[in-house]
């Protein structure tokens, strides 16, 4: 964690020159660039090898700045009051006179927005005259980054700078909710849907497996460690890495723990780094024991089931 004003200044210098940099958030690291600049936004897509029709999330410091670019509504205000800044992304209508680069949304009229809750990133945003477009800092379809070193592993010297904010405290991407129409969840993530339900006094639709792939994060290829992965395993094959949700008395070399005592928040935080470690050790496959399907466990299972389709 190297938080000081000179690092923020450096980050700002690169962003002002339309470069992409790695930034920490409480969910996962982002590959950030000026959301108002066509040049900067195009660079994000190129670096990630991301299809240009897969829109980006734009990160704001406050609702006042957001209002310049998007039309807000009551559902948004209720959720914002409760969960932002935090791991939730809202889809809103773009204003006609918004300055957001058309490449962010592939010329579509809806924008995904988020208010990140990470001290360093908030300090950076305070210094900028524009919001930051930032997808997760990984090459498309690979594991997301939860530490500065993961971002370096993904992009090497192709990016100029990474703002190191330590390990992400949540470790899973934000929950995405479309608020342009009837509230619809598009991606499971850092905030459990049951909590969202309690705030909105209306039915919430869930479309996390839409065929139309409204959010390409719904694609099966996502979150893949690049080797076969199997879920709900009791006895793994001998040469597989075995991922467990709580510590065992009998500890074997191929055992990897997501948490000490079955804690799903801790497991979420460790998930991506655990899979990355296993991949880097050279294992040919991963077996994962059954993970309780409640709270953040639902988001974990959703990511794993997509990764298992690899
Ligand atoms: O936690 C997060 O959300 C992280 C951090 C860095 O903020 N960001 C992140 O971005 O996960 P990304 O690009 O990896 O995933 C964003 C997802 C994509 O699946 C994209 O298709 C969807 O959001 N998305 C973006 N804009 C959208 C829009 N206008 N309508 C529907 N889906 C959208
Ligand atoms: Mg991503």
């Amino acid at each position: 964690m190297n938080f000081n004003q000179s690092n923020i200044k450096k980050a700002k210098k690169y962003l002002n020159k339309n470069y992409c940099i790695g930034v920490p958030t409480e969910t996962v690291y982002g590959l950030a660039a000026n959301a108002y600049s066509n040049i900067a936004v195009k660079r994000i897509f190129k670096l990630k090898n991301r299809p240009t029709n897969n829109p980006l999330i734009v990160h704001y410091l406050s609702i006042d700045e957001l209002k310049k670019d998007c039309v807000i509504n009551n559902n948004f205000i209720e959720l914002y009051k409760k969960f932002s800044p935090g791991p939730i992304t809202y889809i809103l209508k773009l204003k006609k006179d918004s300055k957001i680069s058309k490449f962010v949304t592939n010329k579509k009229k809806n924008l995904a927005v988020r208010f990140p809750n990470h001290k360093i990133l908030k300090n950076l945003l305070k210094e900028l005259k524009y919001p930051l477009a930032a997808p997760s800092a990984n090459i498309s379809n690979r594991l997301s980054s939860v530490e500065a070193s993961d971002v370096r592993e993904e992009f090497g010297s192709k990016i100029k700078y990474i703002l190191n904010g330590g390990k992400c405290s949540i470790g899973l991407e934000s929950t995405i909710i479309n608020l342009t129409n009837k509230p619809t969840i598009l991606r499971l993530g850092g905030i459990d849907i049951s909590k969202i339900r309690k705030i909105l006094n209306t039915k919430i639709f869930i479309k996390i497996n839409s065929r139309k792939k409204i959010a390409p994060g719904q694609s099966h290829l996502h979150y893949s460690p690049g080797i076969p992965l199997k879920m709900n395993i009791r006895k793994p094959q001998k040469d597989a890495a075995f991922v467990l949700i709580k510590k065992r008395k009998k500890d074997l070399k191929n055992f990897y723990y997501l948490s000490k005592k079955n804690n799903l928040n801790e497991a979420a935080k460790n998930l991506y780094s655990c899979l990355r470690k296993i991949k880097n050790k050279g294992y040919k496959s991963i077996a994962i024991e059954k993970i309780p399907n409640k709270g953040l466990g639902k988001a974990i299972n959703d990511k794993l089931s997509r990764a298992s389709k690899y």
Side-chain angles (χ1 to χ4, degrees), residues 22-157:
V23 297
T25 88
E26 77 280 30
T27 57
V28 297
Y29 271 74
L31 181 67
N34 179 353
Y36 290 162
S37 155
N38 289 339
I39 298 172
V41 170
K42 280 206 270 190
R43 282 186 173 150
I44 295 180
F45 284 92
K46 190 157 180 238
L47 277 166
K48 269 189 70 102
N49 195 14
R50 180 174 176 118
T52 51
N53 65 357
N54 187 357
L56 306 175
I57 299 177
V58 175
H59 298 66
Y60 288 88
L61 185 63
S62 77
I63 204 165
D64 292 330
E65 279 119 46
L66 170 82
K67 278 184 190 161
K68 295 178 198 159
D69 295 320
C70 290
V71 183
I72 61 171
N73 57 47
N74 288 340
N75 284 337
F76 166 74
I77 291 169
E78 291 309 309
L79 293 173
Y80 174 89
K81 279 197 281 192
K82 180 75 184 171
F83 300 119
S84 293
I88 181 165
T89 293
Y90 313 99
I91 312 284
L92 297 171
K93 284 211 160 67
L94 266 174
K95 279 192 169 166
K96 286 216 173 70
D97 59 351
S98 128
K99 286 200 267 179
I100 295 292
S101 158
K102 61 180 187 285
F103 295 104
V104 168
T105 60
N106 192 31
K107 296 189 188 146
K108 299 260 169 8
K109 300 294 171 227
N110 291 343
L111 183 68
V113 303
R114 183 162 111 70
F115 303 85
N117 195 11
H118 191 292
K119 200 172 156 197
I120 298 181
L121 180 56
K122 286 199 282 190
N123 272 293
L124 173 61
L125 284 167
K126 260 185 225 161
E127 297 285 323
L128 304 175
K129 295 199 171 71
Y130 44 82
L132 289 174
S136 53
N138 53 282
I139 307 291
S140 277
N141 297 332
R142 297 222 299 232
L143 286 172
S144 301
S145 297
V146 290
E147 292 188 66
S149 57
D150 301 343
V151 184
R152 189 52 77 201
E153 199 174 294
E154 290 294 307
F155 297 102
S157 57

